[in-house]
Amino acid sequence: MSTTRPFIAARVEEFIDRRIEGFLRGLGWREKVICYTGYGSSESIRVLGRVVLVPNRARGGLAKATEDLIKRRGFRNFFSAACVRAAVTITVGDQVVTAITDRGGYIDERIRNLQLAPGWQQVGVRSRTSKMASADVHVVGDDVTFGIVSDIDDTIISTWLPRPMIAAWNSFIRDESARQSVPGMARMYTTLLAEHPGAPVLYVSTGAWNTHDFLSRFLKRHGYPHGAMLLTDWGPTNTGWFRSGMAHKADALLQLTRDFPHISWVLVGDDGQHDPVLYANFAHVAPDRVRAIAIRQLSATEQVLAHGTTSALPEEQDAEADTPWVEAPDGRGLLAGLRALPEPL
């Protein structure tokens, strides 16, 4: 017998989160809105964020310095709790919209019937008792036909860590100065976007939302263009125990075709996991939405760290698409390959 009730693990997780939330509210913890970068068009925007409970602000120079270090290193993520099904108010110009967070405290709200000018806009978000927070939203012009979708780990960030350890590193030791940018990738993105004014770049990753601040600082530090990040929330879903990273990326790509039906994307990834297969499948489904596929080739050492062998997985090597396809070990080689395509980008 079919049912619309969420998977039992999701119900248990929400039950526990509600109990933790109630306990921490009793200790005087306060609500805080964390805003993520959003995107949209002149008619509709997507606002992303999260409402959490955090301890009261530390007082005194040493206490504040300690708190800032903890926040930067990532431990603060484990000293906050989701505000389950919390009411929020989103202000876009003169329009005010109310929304409800999901069972993880996340905000993912689409606001329609707008008339926004292309470019970067700011949206105000607040919960019932929090201060107003400001979210950046990239409004893409209706005449834009070019965009970039990029993976993150091993595509623009050299992790040099076994895949199972990346999450722990990002969560606990995540100082962006300790991570290296893949050579030439930032320049490739800025060069392509400079040739297409107003075009968006979106970073799609299987990483958790609690790494958003670290990733934002990393991108800014290494000169990557500002853009929305589509991350995920680990843990149980409404249908199973764990989320599928590949499904998350596939869903994100399909959503972008609906949000921007006039844009044809350059898809950038690496051959360490499933990007070649994912992008090839997407190009077969929506060939008019993919302008080119650019795959960064990992070194033998990076391949071992990614999946345990010295070469790309067989299914990644066999991935094929009629869409223009280039491969290179860094951004300089990928840009040269894109430049050499028969049809210019």
Side-chain angles (χ1 to χ4, degrees), residues 102-121:
D102 66 11
R103 60 184 176 81
Y106 290 97
I107 304 165
D108 187 352
E109 188 70 14
R110 294 182 181 276
I111 304 176
R112 309 182 188 281
N113 301 319
L114 302 172
Q115 293 294 328
L116 297 177
W120 286 97
Q121 307 289 345

Side-chain angles (χ1 to χ4, degrees), residues 6 22 52 74 85 92 177 201 297:
V52 298
R85 317 292 182 186
V92 186
S177 64
V201 57
Q297 298 168 314

Side-chain angles (χ1 to χ4, degrees), residues 100 107 293 328:
I100 301 294
I107 304 165
I293 296 173

Side-chain angles (χ1 to χ4, degrees), residues 18-345:
R18 285 186 180 276
R19 296 305 179 271
I20 294 174
E21 179 184 351
F23 175 75
L24 295 179
R25 286 186 184 276
L27 295 179
W29 284 34
R30 58 185 174 85
E31 291 183 2
K32 179 181 179 180
V33 175
I34 302 172
C35 289
Y36 308 133
T37 305
Y39 67 87
S41 64
S42 61
E43 293 293 329
S44 171
I45 62 172
R46 187 180 182 185
V47 179
L48 301 166
R50 194 183 190 198
V51 182
V52 298
L53 291 176
V54 296
N56 288 322
R57 179 72 178 178
R59 296 184 180 182
L62 180 59
K64 290 182 179 180
T66 302
E67 184 185 64
D68 289 341
L69 176 63
I70 289 173
K71 181 178 180 181
R72 190 176 188 84
R73 291 291 183 177
F75 294 106
R76 182 63 178 267
N77 295 310
F78 300 92
F79 291 94
S80 62
C83 292
V84 181
R85 317 292 182 186
V88 295
T89 301
I90 303 171
T91 304
V92 186
D94 297 330
Q95 186 170 340
V96 178
V97 176
T98 58
I100 301 294
T101 65
D102 66 11
R103 60 184 176 81
Y106 290 97
I107 304 165
D108 187 352
E109 188 70 14
R110 294 182 181 276
I111 304 176
R112 309 182 188 281
N113 301 319
L114 302 172
Q115 293 294 328
L116 297 177
W120 286 97
Q121 307 289 345
Q122 287 199 326
V123 174
V125 185
R126 68 179 304 170
S127 66
R128 184 174 56 87
T129 60
S130 74
K131 296 180 180 179
M132 180 71 77
S134 181
D136 290 337
V137 177
H138 187 192
V139 178
V140 181
D142 296 335
D143 58 339
V144 173
T145 60
F146 178 90
I148 300 173
V149 172
S150 173
D151 179 45
I152 296 180
D153 282 320
D154 289 328
T155 298
I156 64 175
I157 299 179
S158 294
T159 58
W160 294 109
L161 287 168
R163 282 298 171 105
M165 293 180 60
I166 291 176
W169 177 274
N170 285 340
S171 296
F172 292 101
I173 319 293
R174 55 174 201 168
D175 186 338
E176 68 277 5
S177 64
R179 303 288 293 276
Q180 294 181 342
S181 173
V182 174
M185 297 300 290
R187 183 174 182 180
M188 182 182 83
Y189 292 174
T190 55
T191 299
L192 293 176
L193 293 182
E195 297 172 356
H196 301 85
V201 57
L202 291 100
Y203 303 94
V204 181
S205 172
T206 58
W209 279 112
N210 64 10
T211 64
H212 184 275
D213 287 349
F214 152 72
L215 292 172
S216 295
R217 294 195 305 268
F218 178 91
L219 294 174
K220 183 176 181 180
R221 180 186 183 94
H222 292 279
Y224 285 90
H226 191 28
M229 278 181 277
L230 302 179
L231 308 178
T232 188
D233 178 27
W234 294 341
T237 70
N238 286 337
T239 58
W241 287 99
F242 300 104
R243 298 176 189 275
S244 166
M246 194 170 180
H248 163 68
K249 286 186 175 181
D251 290 343
L253 290 173
L254 290 174
Q255 185 61 61
L256 290 176
T257 65
R258 293 189 287 266
D259 292 333
F260 303 109
H262 49 287
I263 290 182
S264 182
W265 303 89
V266 173
L267 307 180
V268 187
D270 64 82
D271 64 1
Q273 288 287 329
H274 304 295
D275 289 343
V277 171
L278 175 66
Y279 290 166
N281 290 341
F282 181 71
H284 285 305
V285 173
D288 57 333
R289 296 290 184 266
V290 183
R291 190 166 300 205
I293 296 173
I295 298 297
R296 183 198 168 224
Q297 298 168 314
L298 272 60
S299 67
T301 301
E302 290 174 313
Q303 292 286 1
V304 171
L305 294 173
H307 51 72
T309 65
T310 58
S311 61
L313 296 172
E315 59 266 29
E316 312 304 311
Q317 296 173 326
D318 295 338
E320 296 181 0
D322 295 333
T323 302
W325 188 293
V326 299
E327 296 182 350
D330 54 30
R332 181 179 179 180
L334 290 176
L335 182 59
L338 292 172
R339 288 274 190 267
L341 292 176
E343 295 186 13
L345 295 180

